[in-house]
Amino acid sequence: QVQLVESGGGSVQAGGSLRLSCSASVYTYSSYCMGWFRQAPGKERERIATIRSDGRTRYTDSVKGRFTISKDNAKNTLYLDMNSLKPEDTAMYYCAARRSDGICYLAHISTYAYWGQGTLVTVSS
């Protein structure tokens, strides 16, 4: 069983930055496909960034150039650095994991077996 715990959310003005962290409980964390997702009120949960076990990353268009996903395998921690934040980035942010099988970014959201509890990001204009 993998347990994920997010932290780092908060309130920030437009143009500001935040760093989200996701701590994982499993020592084989490095072999998982990890992702950051977000869900705004009244909207479906969307995938925003993933990182494969080999370190390759991929982003949804709306965050490219502003957000960076990274991981520290020694610390079993996933990060999301968010810069140039916009009011439309306001959402609950979740980290999630799935066992690596060659598919990461394109994997259906339902195949991510492990989820954190979420951390709220609010961006004011």
Side-chain angles (χ1 to χ4, degrees):
Q1 183 73 12
V2 177
Q3 291 184 324
L4 303 174
V5 179
E6 301 99 335
S7 61
S11 297
V12 63
Q13 289 191 326
S17 300
L18 282 174
R19 172 178 248 204
L20 305 184
S21 299
C22 172
S23 178
S25 65
V26 63
Y27 80 99
T28 56
Y29 157 86
S30 62
S31 65
Y32 283 73
C33 160
M34 305 294 297
W36 284 100
F37 298 75
R38 67 185 179 187
Q39 188 167 18
K43 294 188 177 181
E44 292 187 354
R45 191 168 298 188
E46 65 168 336
R47 175 190 5 249
I48 54 174
T50 58
I51 185 165
R52 294 165 50 114
S53 56
D54 62 6
R56 279 185 280 179
T57 60
R58 193 165 171 178
Y59 302 87
T60 193
D61 287 347
S62 63
V63 307
K64 280 181 181 177
R66 299 189 299 123
F67 291 11
T68 301
I69 187 172
S70 62
K71 61 179 181 173
D72 185 333
N73 291 334
K75 296 182 178 179
N76 284 0
T77 302
L78 178 74
Y79 301 101
L80 184 68
D81 289 297
M82 305 185 295
N83 298 308
S84 302
L85 283 161
K86 305 175 181 180
E88 51 263 43
D89 294 318
T90 294
M92 187 71 79
Y93 283 70
Y94 301 89
C95 65
R98 67 188 302 275
R99 291 188 182 274
S100 293
D101 59 0
I103 302 172
C104 194
Y105 185 83
L106 295 178
H108 194 277
I109 189 172
S110 64
T111 66
Y112 283 79
Y114 308 104
W115 292 84
Q117 81 289 351
T119 186
L120 181 63
V121 172
T122 303
V123 184
S124 59
S125 57

